[in-house]
Amino acid sequence: GMFDYVEGATRLQKYGFLLSMKIKELERVGFYNDWEASNFGPFSKQLAIDVTKSVTTGIVKTYHIKNMYDFYVDRFALSDGKEVVKIFSELHPSIFNKMKEILMPYQTKTLQALLQDVYYQYPQFTNASKIKAEIGKKIYESDSYLSTMYDEPDI
């Protein structure tokens, strides 16, 4: 299904960011609102903490895999989290459908394309970015290039 896995911590962060910017009702259900301009664009410390917690408690499993670009990334897969998603989708069907609509196209796009979109649409979150200059030029698809385990190196 749609949210079976997400490839890489950086992608996960940008997904969360796009959802919080584009779906205002998420504020009401207590979604992340601590976005800050960080090394690789918008970043939420709380999301990073929750991902780590979810991995520790087994809601999310990580697999260190080699992606199609020959880089190693952490793939985040919902294990017990599938139940959480199901409950959320039943409680908030319209929000859930909007989430799918926003994220669906990105599941097949490169990280580069996702970052380009985020940087272009929300330039106010790119002022601290270490990779801003490369976004348009350099093709990279590596979470090892971008980040450490579940968060960014300077945190």
Side-chain angles (χ1 to χ4, degrees):
M2 161 65 199
F3 293 117
D4 282 355
Y5 69 86
V6 174
E7 209 138 295
T10 303
R11 183 182 287 269
L12 195 63
Q13 282 280 341
K14 301 317 168 239
Y15 278 6
F17 174 73
L18 284 173
L19 293 177
S20 78
M21 293 296 121
K22 293 178 183 289
I23 307 175
K24 286 301 158 209
E25 308 99 289
L26 277 174
E27 281 171 30
R28 285 205 312 271
V29 296
F31 199 68
Y32 304 98
N33 60 2
D34 63 333
W35 301 101
E36 52 191 66
S38 187
N39 290 347
F40 312 115
F43 179 79
S44 158
K45 269 196 188 92
Q46 198 48 59
L47 175 55
I49 290 164
D50 285 351
V51 168
T52 306
K53 256 192 249 164
S54 302
V55 170
T56 312
T57 57
I59 290 174
V60 171
K61 280 192 171 56
T62 55
Y63 303 90
H64 203 58
I65 58 124
K66 204 177 221 190
N67 68 12
M68 61 194 217
Y69 303 91
D70 255 11
F71 287 111
Y72 280 96
V73 297
D74 283 310
R75 174 178 280 184
F76 298 91
L78 287 169
S79 44
D80 304 348
K82 285 204 170 101
E83 204 40 49
V84 179
V85 171
K86 192 173 172 291
I87 292 163
F88 183 87
S89 70
E90 286 162 6
L91 285 175
H92 309 282
S94 77
I95 296 180
F96 187 71
N97 287 332
K98 280 184 200 161
M99 290 168 94
K100 279 205 301 203
E101 224 168 274
I102 291 163
L103 297 186
M104 204 66 142
Y106 288 112
Q107 281 291 71
T108 53
K109 280 187 180 177
T110 61
L111 183 59
Q112 166 95 358
L114 169 60
L115 287 169
Q116 280 173 333
D117 276 8
V118 168
Y119 278 44
Y120 179 75
Q121 291 176 57
Y122 303 97
Q124 70 273 32
F125 283 94
T126 63
N127 57 1
S129 177
K130 291 184 174 166
I131 54 170
K132 197 175 182 173
E134 287 131 81
I135 282 295
K137 297 186 287 242
K138 187 169 181 175
I139 300 291
Y140 56 81
E141 212 3 92
S142 161
D143 239 40
S144 52
Y145 166 74
L146 284 172
S147 60
T148 59
M149 237 353 221
Y150 308 123
D151 53 16
E152 313 210 345
D154 61 344
I155 289 200

